[in-house]
Amino acid sequence: MADYDLIVIGSGPGGYVAAIRASQLGLKTAIVERESLGGICLNWGCIPTKALLRSAEILHYANNAKNFGLKIDKADFDLEAVVKRSRGVAKQLSSGVSHLMKKNKIDVIMGEASLKKGKPAPTVSVKDKDGKSKEYKAKNVILATGARARAIPQAGLEPDGDLIWTYREAMVPKETPKKLLVIGSGAIGIEFASFYNELGSDVTVVEALDRILPVEDEEISGLARKQFEKQGIKFHTGAQVKSLKKAKGKVTADISSGDKTEKLEVDRVILAIGIVGNVEGLGLEELGVKVEKTHVLVDGFGRTGVDGLYAIGDLTGAPWLAHKASHEGVMCVEGIAGAEDAHAFDAWNVPGCTYSHPQIASVGLTEARAKEAGHKVKVGKFPFIGNGKAIALGAAEGLVKTVFDAETGELLGAHMIGAEVTELIQGYVIAREGELTEETLMHTVFPHPTLSEMMHESVLASQGRVLHM
């Protein structure tokens, strides 16, 4: 007889949300966690980095107080206090997940999980901190073990916790590096580059592809680079770090671009070259689970092809986003429970956000991808400089860009750079989910004065009807 209807392995945003939804649907549920409730996102990812970036943002405004008619003498920061606040935020939210588990009557099992063949689902074996193992049976098991930072040991691109950091070490620095190298210009790399630049580090970013933030619309990517360079961040695109050589308190990087190679000496290096799924030690090979490039292959309901075994979140591949994992978890559980409105997960409308200064946010197809897919497109753009609220905020640099199908009026994609765009993007996500056309959006009333008016103006611009430019 099964101990549970469902056991979830991993308590990140995918795992704990899946467990809560399962409890709501009447499933007796347990969750297994080897470290801290909330997983990487709450403890070492999404949340504590936003706390760090908020401190950097306030420091930025303090240093530019004269632009607002204010006087602040010699704004400075206490790095230990900045880190302490960030860790406090993470601890508070991890405790919140513990409360949610109790509220929803979900059993929490602390330890390292592995799987063995079993019926109707694989048996879950959990080894506790003392090395003792206990087996649990469930009708269904969901893997939500997440992912970790990628390393390339053969090139010396491997974290050592001292000179070469992953996101973990970068979040708890004992001192601000005078010179910092960030390898990779995706959201993680750019956020840390932005944070340390605000704190006075001399930051260089290396990106293997021909532009930074390569998943973003090319125009937005170009604007981002210009703004970051104005702030003092240096970029090497179309370049690779061939090796890292460590000496006492220093790292020398060999940066190759075309037929040229240059050396750069820095105090610290942050690796942001992607992530790999946490698939080791789970017993997946013995079960016959298909794994490709460290990620478990699943269908839209999270099914692995092994009876009773499912996988969600970063473990299943891109996009590696917390909100994608949470939504996948809900879809997976509703499929397991046979909920009336259960349907397969599709990543077509998952927004992406980068919380740097400036912020970047997007959803759907870029202009280039839309054209590649065969769409005839209409593009609308509206700059922040044309918006009263943006000017009043002292944040007049930025752009809102919308891409529509010229024949159907479908919103194919939306792309933004500037203040608070990570909060604005959801408006376009809802519009796409509701299949709203450009006509409907043009007829929608947006409040004044708000940044959201730029969303309206961008839609109007796609029809040659822009009002304030």
Side-chain angles (χ1 to χ4, degrees):
M1 185 176 177
D3 300 302
Y4 296 97
D5 295 313
L6 173 66
I7 294 177
V8 181
I9 301 174
S11 72
Y16 85 76
V17 167
I20 291 171
R21 184 65 184 126
S23 178
Q24 290 174 345
L25 290 168
L27 303 182
K28 185 182 179 185
T29 305
I31 194 163
V32 182
E33 174 54 53
R34 67 181 178 182
E35 194 172 346
S36 301
L37 288 173
I40 292 298
C41 178
L42 265 66
N43 293 283
W44 293 101
C46 321
I47 301 301
T49 54
K50 302 313 160 284
L52 293 175
L53 286 160
R54 178 62 168 166
S55 293
E57 181 183 32
I58 292 172
L59 179 64
H60 170 82
Y61 284 116
N63 281 324
N64 290 276
K66 63 181 180 181
N67 296 336
F68 299 88
L70 304 174
K71 291 182 180 180
I72 296 178
D73 293 330
K74 204 177 179 181
D76 204 353
F77 63 92
D78 178 340
L79 184 61
E80 185 179 353
V82 168
V83 171
K84 184 178 179 181
R85 176 179 180 272
S86 172
R87 302 314 308 154
V89 169
K91 184 178 179 181
Q92 179 180 342
L93 285 167
S94 182
S95 299
V97 174
S98 179
H99 167 73
L100 288 171
M101 297 299 97
K102 290 176 184 175
K103 177 185 174 184
N104 289 280
K105 298 180 173 58
I106 297 163
D107 289 343
V108 176
I109 304 168
M110 298 303 295
E112 188 91 24
S114 60
L115 301 173
K116 299 177 180 178
K117 288 183 179 179
K119 294 288 183 180
T123 299
V124 180
S125 177
V126 182
K127 184 186 291 185
D128 66 18
K129 63 182 180 180
D130 297 320
K132 296 178 181 178
S133 294
K134 184 175 179 180
E135 292 189 350
Y136 300 87
K137 290 190 176 295
K139 296 176 184 176
N140 304 279
V141 175
I142 294 178
L143 295 173
T145 54
R148 64 187 183 278
R150 181 171 171 250
I152 307 177
Q154 58 269 32
L157 275 66
E158 188 172 28
D160 62 5
D162 179 22
L163 299 177
I164 304 173
W165 295 346
T166 66
Y167 52 82
R168 284 204 181 212
E169 293 82 19
M171 270 187 272
V172 289
K174 291 183 173 61
E175 59 184 9
T176 308
K178 290 179 181 177
K179 296 189 75 174
L180 172 68
L181 172 63
V182 178
I183 306 176
S185 74
I188 294 173
I190 288 297
E191 286 182 3
F192 279 119
S194 184
F195 171 71
Y196 280 102
N197 178 67
E198 291 287 3
L199 266 56
S201 296
D202 180 356
V203 179
T204 299
V205 178
V206 174
E207 170 56 54
L209 297 179
D210 62 355
R211 59 191 178 91
I212 69 167
L213 295 162
V215 302
E216 300 295 343
D217 183 87
E218 191 168 350
E219 187 171 7
I220 299 297
S221 173
L223 288 172
R225 178 168 183 162
K226 286 179 183 176
Q227 291 200 41
F228 290 135
E229 285 179 334
K230 273 171 72 174
Q231 297 167 19
I233 300 175
K234 305 178 193 72
F235 293 98
H236 293 270
T237 50
Q240 292 185 326
V241 176
K242 291 296 186 180
S243 68
L244 293 175
K245 295 172 184 174
K246 296 183 286 184
K248 191 175 181 181
K250 299 287 180 183
V251 181
T252 300
D254 287 325
I255 302 171
S256 174
S257 180
D259 57 358
K260 294 180 181 178
T261 300
E262 66 174 277
K263 293 186 182 294
L264 177 67
E265 188 179 88
V266 296
D267 302 298
R268 296 293 184 273
V269 176
I270 296 177
L271 299 180
I273 50 178
I275 61 175
V276 294
N278 292 322
V279 295
E280 301 87 357
L282 290 168
L284 300 185
E285 287 183 10
E286 293 82 353
L287 293 172
V289 174
K290 293 178 181 176
V291 177
E292 189 174 282
K293 294 180 180 178
T294 77
H295 292 99
V296 174
L297 299 182
V298 295
D299 66 7
F301 285 98
R303 292 177 291 219
T304 64
V306 174
D307 288 345
L309 183 63
Y310 303 78
I312 61 171
D314 286 356
L315 182 67
T316 64
W320 299 283
L321 300 167
H323 44 282
K324 174 254 193 182
S326 296
H327 198 68
E328 257 186 326
V330 170
M331 297 298 98
C332 180
V333 166
E334 289 181 350
I336 289 170
E340 243 179 71
D341 59 347
H343 60 278
F345 172 77
D346 191 331
W348 77 281
N349 202 28
V350 176
C353 298
T354 302
Y355 299 83
S356 49
H357 182 81
Q359 296 179 5
I360 298 100
S362 61
V363 66
L365 299 177
T366 64
E367 182 180 356
R369 289 278 176 88
K371 289 176 179 176
E372 286 169 10
H375 294 278
K376 291 181 180 178
V377 302
K378 284 184 180 178
V379 176
K381 304 175 191 177
F382 194 82
F384 273 51
I385 192 65
N387 177 263
K389 180 69 178 292
I391 295 170
L393 288 176
E397 285 190 289
L399 180 73
V400 177
K401 179 177 181 177
T402 44
V403 182
F404 291 93
D405 185 292
E407 295 173 349
T408 66
E410 177 189 357
L411 177 60
L412 300 172
H415 312 276
M416 304 174 170
I417 179 170
E420 302 304 330
V421 296
T422 58
E423 300 293 339
L424 296 177
I425 193 63
Q426 190 62 16
Y428 285 134
V429 177
I430 293 169
R432 279 168 52 81
E433 193 69 33
E435 299 182 353
L436 303 185
T437 64
E438 58 193 8
E439 184 178 359
T440 308
L441 289 167
M442 283 193 295
H443 293 162
T444 301
V445 178
F446 286 72
H448 174 78
T450 65
L451 297 175
S452 70
E453 290 174 277
M454 291 183 289
M455 299 169 66
H456 189 218
E457 291 275 16
S458 181
V459 176
L460 292 171
S462 72
Q463 299 300 304
R465 292 174 51 178
V466 66
L467 296 172
H468 290 92
M469 282 302 291

